[in-house]
Amino acid sequence: MGRGIAPILAFDTSGPHCSAALLRDGEIVLSRHLEMARGQAEALMPLLGEVLDEAGLDWSDLGGLGVGVGPGNFTGIRISVAAARGLALAADLPAIGVSMFQVLRRSAPGPETDLLSLAAPRGLAYVQPLRAGKLGGARMIDPEAPPPLAEIGAEGIAHVTGFAARRLGTAFGTGWREAVPAEIAPAIAREAAALLSGGTVSPRPAPLYVRPADAAPPADPPPVILP
């Protein structure tokens, strides 16, 4: 996988981290993961430059970009997606958005029909059904009181993989396996390479927001626009 195409540079800032990885000839040759609660906007571009320098590559040597699109931290998602769009435009490269559900799928391969679950704020879960290898709509649910499978578009699914899988599987009467996304940037690079090899290229990466933003709209009236 990934052979026959130029190197892929992948990165993600959707969580409390700044991660990057370089895939070349189907192998991850460099991977960096910095734990940080803030400061990703300042750290991302230097990190990408370091990865390319260490590999002896320039932007013109790349065959594409892979970027994490969430779900996760709103600001972090915007940082990496905006960077990917700008770099793709400047370097004339395809940019492939990869969700954390796809990363989880690569970290813990399972049945072709599955309900994937990721940790969300306040103990909730982001879930997305997988049917015959195709992902459906994502939702946020409470693992302690989950809605029926039909309400989340997952009727007939007999297995749950990911966060709170035991609680969800018990509530749904399905099989389950606890798992978390692992090696985020390398998984994004491999998924992007697979999509590029298969000719599946989206117009441009877009954030995957599953819940409303926590920030409240301003209470003050908007400014008056003078003619």
Side-chain angles (χ1 to χ4, degrees), residues 8-23:
I8 301 292
L9 180 63
F11 50 93
D12 179 71
T13 57
S14 65
H17 59 255
C18 188
S19 295
L22 183 71
L23 182 141

Side-chain angles (χ1 to χ4, degrees), residues 12-18 35-38 40 71-73 76-77 184:
D12 179 71
T13 57
S14 65
H17 59 255
C18 188
E35 292 289 341
M36 54 175 59
R38 61 190 65 185
Q40 291 95 332
N73 176 273
I77 295 171
I184 293 172

Side-chain angles (χ1 to χ4, degrees), residues 26-83:
E27 302 294 334
I28 299 295
V29 295
L30 282 169
S31 178
R32 298 287 184 271
H33 184 88
L34 306 177
E35 292 289 341
M36 54 175 59
R38 61 190 65 185
Q40 291 95 332
E42 294 78 15
L44 178 59
M45 293 308 298
L47 178 63
L48 299 182
E50 290 173 11
V51 169
L52 289 177
D53 287 345
E54 188 169 340
L57 297 177
D58 194 19
W59 292 101
S60 60
D61 298 315
L62 297 175
L65 303 171
V67 59
V69 298
N73 176 273
F74 283 93
T75 300
I77 295 171
R78 287 195 296 269
I79 290 168
S80 53
V81 170

Side-chain angles (χ1 to χ4, degrees), residues 190-202:
R190 293 189 180 98
E191 185 71 12
L195 293 171
L196 279 170
S197 296
T200 306
V201 180
S202 58

Side-chain angles (χ1 to χ4, degrees), residues 89-162:
L89 181 63
D92 192 24
L93 291 169
I96 309 299
V98 177
S99 74
M100 286 300 107
F101 293 107
Q102 291 167 292
V103 172
L104 174 62
R105 184 67 175 164
R106 284 198 164 265
S107 304
E112 283 296 293
T113 298
D114 203 352
L115 183 67
L116 303 177
S117 176
L118 300 168
R122 298 180 291 277
L124 301 178
Y126 300 122
V127 296
Q128 188 170 36
L130 177 77
R131 295 182 183 279
K134 295 186 180 299
L135 290 165
R139 292 275 302 273
M140 187 166 68
I141 66 172
D142 183 353
E144 299 297 337
L149 284 172
E151 288 189 18
I152 56 176
E155 63 275 14
I157 282 180
H159 196 270
V160 180
T161 296

